[in-house]
Amino acid sequence: MQTVAIHAIHRILNMIVVIIAVGISGAALMRYAPGFDADEHDLDARLSAETKSRFRAARRQDANLPQFLWKFARKVSHGDWGFSVTLNRPVRELITERGSVTAKELGGGLFGAASAGLALAFLVYASGSAALQTIASSMSALLLCIPAALLGYVALWLRLPSGVILGATLLPHLFQYAVNLLESMRHRPHLLAARCRGVNPWRIRVAYALAPCLPEWLASLGACASLGFSLAIPIEYASGTPGLGQLAWQAASSRDFPTLFVLTLLSAAFVMVCGTGADMVSARNGENPHAQ
Amino acid sequence: MPNKRLFRHLAKALLALIVLVGLCAPLIAPRGFAEMSRDEALAGPSKAHPLGTDEEGRDRLSRLIYGIRISLILAPLAAVLATLIAALLGSLAARGGGLLEKVFLVFSDALLCIPWMFLLISVRALLPLNADVGVSVSITFLLLASLGWAGAARVVRVRVRSLLRREDQLWRRASGIGETRSLLIHLAPNLWPVLKTQFWLAVPAFILSESNLSMIGLGVSEPLPSLGNLIHELENVGAVRDAPWLLAPLGVLVFVLLLVHAATSRERTQTA
């Protein structure tokens, strides 16, 4: 138990250091990148000179890096996450509004992909059929090869919720991981011992092979959350879903510095929290000899 | 087992053939990738245009052949660069230890904890978007190389650390063999299988990332074709019913990625 606690403290400290590093390097990268001074609005003939100069003034405010970081930290402590000039709304409002859409989409997609992936992998493992394994692996490989943005267009065309498409893109990753986990169980000593004792084969498959895999399986979902957010960007862009992925694309293509910065920090924090959770589940599982 | 080996070799041979087609694009393609013929816009397949023409009247087959050249030559080049960066930084961190290793771990963690596509679009957006086509291609693939090294570098670091702790390394040090010589002549060959695996893992990831980036308008810009921006034509998925030849770039992309998966199945199994 003590080892798990030390591990948890170590992970949390590491998480804080990494998030600070992401913040500083992200802000520095944005400030010193060659395209910082370039602005698409300057090329937009529909905008007036006054509007263009307003955009330039907003950009100049963020030019001094230490000043920007200090101002940002002070504002965040008062609940102000900055203002998106491009979308003309406070960043916090944008993120709260769109975060719920992406959370619903990611939660649904991840749950669907996890359930389907595990069920399919268990079916392949339990049947022991080479043909079924070949078909399932081929389908999973095929899904891995299709760009997520294209699947987003398919969602739009078929009027499917983007969560379904997100689930479909996550499914091959989760299926393959579940297959590997279950295959690694096949020759474990406790399984061989159960077989020798004449335990019912289905009980062996469910209680001796599937059940010990579950904690590690749950831990893998944490790692998949980052992948899910990554895939949500092209899917939301293509399907027109107003979530965080679409916001990230809008912020990136219009060089919306405050929104990009907050999204970078939030996504890093989200991934680190998921990773830490997954790590802690794995560490706890490692301490429990029955789970091995 | 011999069947699997034969299958791998066949996949490698087909991949080599496709890359060769890409390399010889100016010799094979019936027309230039930007050659327009407004009178023939959106024409169906014919003898002159086997895959029809796009809305600018450009020959789709020629653009596909040039697209293969861009995607299938530059993605492996980016993967080579990413693997070299990973080898250099991972080895330096493992060799240096202490603070250097801690800084390396924090920065690789920082790169890895930002979702890949978000990292790509954020950094891509910071670079000039209205750049020349040649610059946009270089930016896209250099970006993939400069951001895609972190995972591989951590693997290299672990491998170098284990190599440095081996008895033969102690023996070399005791024999007075210099560190540079030891690193280049004795450690580098042992690192080769790891680097090869990391390279083959990066290639399909980079090809897919380029496709996604180009499809959302932040990758290779027009008129230069890449598999990604050619697939962008499928924006209107329903159009495929009337013009199934629009699926050709997607077919090539999926086929190439399946070939890469098949050709590298041994490396993937070793990694798993």
Side-chain angles (χ1 to χ4, degrees):
Chain A
M1 200 64 193
Q2 205 183 359
T3 329
V4 175
I6 292 170
H7 185 74
I9 294 169
H10 185 257
R11 283 291 305 181
I12 289 166
L13 284 176
N14 183 47
M15 190 171 87
I16 294 167
V17 171
V18 169
I19 291 171
I20 292 171
V22 166
I24 296 173
S25 46
L29 200 64
M30 286 174 193
R31 171 60 195 91
Y32 298 111
F36 179 76
D37 289 326
D39 193 340
E40 266 82 87
H41 297 112
D42 290 337
L43 304 170
D44 195 340
R46 292 167 302 175
L47 297 176
S48 67
E50 200 179 303
T51 315
K52 284 178 188 173
S53 67
R54 195 162 63 87
F55 281 122
R56 271 195 294 273
R59 193 167 295 276
R60 267 197 298 274
Q61 277 185 350
D62 301 327
N64 187 321
L65 182 64
Q67 215 173 49
F68 168 77
L69 285 170
W70 173 243
K71 247 171 60 183
F72 180 78
R74 259 183 47 192
K75 277 182 179 175
V76 166
S77 65
H78 291 95
D80 177 7
W81 294 4
F83 191 83
S84 162
V85 182
T86 321
L87 296 164
N88 205 24
R89 285 178 71 185
V91 177
R92 188 178 172 166
E93 211 176 283
L94 281 169
I95 288 189
T96 319
E97 193 181 284
R98 287 161 181 251
S100 61
V101 175
T102 302
K104 225 165 93 180
E105 179 188 291
L106 194 59
L110 204 56
F111 177 74
S115 323
L118 190 62
L120 198 59
F122 184 68
L123 196 70
V124 167
Y125 170 79
S127 70
S129 153
L132 188 65
Q133 182 165 14
T134 310
I135 293 170
S137 302
S138 308
M139 289 303 289
S140 126
L142 194 69
L143 267 177
L144 275 177
C145 297
I146 300 176
L150 183 65
L151 291 173
Y153 289 132
V154 174
L156 187 69
W157 185 55
L158 295 175
R159 293 165 199 265
L160 284 173
S162 46
V164 173
I165 296 296
L166 192 63
T169 53
L170 288 172
L171 178 65
H173 299 274
L174 288 163
F175 164 72
Q176 204 51 55
Y177 187 67
V179 166
N180 291 345
L181 266 181
L182 286 167
E183 282 302 323
S184 72
M185 282 285 161
R186 206 180 275 279
H187 302 294
R188 286 279 174 92
H190 72 281
L191 228 90
L192 294 175
R195 238 178 254 149
C196 293
R197 285 206 318 270
V199 178
N200 181 304
W202 275 102
R203 197 169 163 221
I204 293 179
R205 284 172 196 141
V206 177
Y208 289 72
L210 181 67
C213 286
L214 289 178
E216 210 169 323
W217 169 247
L218 282 176
S220 77
L221 296 186
C224 262
S226 160
L227 183 67
F229 183 63
S230 212
L231 292 169
I233 297 172
I235 291 175
E236 285 184 0
Y237 159 82
S239 63
T241 310
L244 283 181
Q246 197 195 51
L247 178 68
W249 177 79
Q250 282 172 333
S253 49
S254 58
R255 293 202 179 90
D256 190 343
F257 188 69
T259 312
L260 261 187
F261 185 67
V262 172
L263 273 175
T264 308
L265 280 182
L266 283 182
S267 59
F270 171 67
V271 173
M272 287 303 284
V273 167
C274 290
T276 305
D279 243 32
M280 273 146 83
V281 171
S282 300
R284 199 178 157 74
N285 189 35
E287 273 218 337
N288 179 6
H290 300 293
Q292 289 297 303
Chain B
M1 206 50 108
N3 274 350
K4 275 190 177 174
R5 211 171 142 191
L6 185 73
F7 190 58
R8 267 204 315 272
H9 286 309
L10 189 68
K12 280 180 186 167
L14 279 172
L15 262 180
L17 187 72
I18 294 172
V19 171
L20 192 70
V21 167
L23 277 172
C24 302
L27 301 174
I28 297 172
R31 298 186 181 204
F33 63 84
E35 211 177 299
M36 287 192 258
S37 169
R38 295 272 185 196
D39 306 336
E40 294 175 300
L42 291 173
S46 63
K47 214 172 174 183
H49 307 287
L51 288 178
T53 58
D54 62 11
E55 52 195 12
E56 312 273 343
R58 296 173 298 194
D59 182 46
R60 279 207 180 98
L61 177 66
S62 306
R63 287 181 64 73
L64 180 59
I65 294 171
Y66 277 99
I68 288 173
R69 181 162 77 159
I70 302 279
S71 297
L72 296 197
I73 293 168
L74 291 179
L77 280 180
V80 167
L81 195 58
T83 312
L84 284 177
I85 297 173
L88 186 73
L89 295 182
S91 310
L92 276 177
R95 177 65 198 88
L99 184 67
L100 185 70
E101 194 172 19
K102 283 200 173 91
V103 171
F104 164 81
L105 285 174
V106 167
F107 273 93
S108 58
D109 262 350
L111 264 183
L112 288 172
C113 79
I114 304 174
W116 173 238
M117 191 45 77
F118 178 66
L119 184 69
L120 278 179
I121 65 163
S122 304
V123 181
R124 174 67 187 92
L126 296 171
L127 302 165
L129 290 179
N130 54 343
D132 172 52
V133 281
V135 178
S136 90
V137 174
S138 317
I139 284 176
T140 306
F141 288 97
L142 280 175
L143 202 65
L144 292 171
S146 57
L147 299 175
W149 54 266
R154 292 189 75 123
V155 176
V156 170
R157 173 187 146 264
V158 172
R159 180 73 183 139
V160 172
R161 271 178 73 132
S162 75
L163 287 173
L164 286 173
R165 283 177 188 165
R166 266 180 17 181
E167 276 188 18
D168 55 335
Q169 178 63 15
L170 277 175
W171 181 84
R172 276 192 288 274
R173 281 175 66 185
S175 314
I177 295 177
E179 286 213 354
T180 319
R181 186 184 158 84
S182 168
L183 213 69
L184 291 177
I185 296 180
H186 300 282
L187 290 186
N190 283 306
L191 213 55
W192 176 245
V194 176
L195 295 180
K196 207 170 88 177
T197 306
Q198 295 306 315
F199 165 78
W200 280 114
L201 287 174
V203 171
F206 285 4
I207 294 176
L208 259 184
S209 299
E210 182 279 320
S211 301
N212 274 319
L213 269 181
S214 297
M215 285 183 81
I216 63 174
L218 293 169
V220 177
S221 50
E222 287 273 351
L224 215 58
S226 74
L227 287 178
N229 63 22
L230 290 174
I231 294 172
H232 195 231
E233 268 197 294
L234 290 173
E235 193 175 5
N236 178 12
V237 182
V240 172
R241 273 189 299 196
D242 301 325
W245 51 89
L246 287 178
L247 285 170
L250 177 67
V252 170
L253 177 76
V254 170
F255 185 58
V256 163
L257 290 175
L258 287 175
L259 284 179
V260 175
H261 278 278
T264 58
S265 56
R266 199 173 57 177
E267 282 85 0
R268 280 168 196 281
T269 315
Q270 280 166 358
T271 314

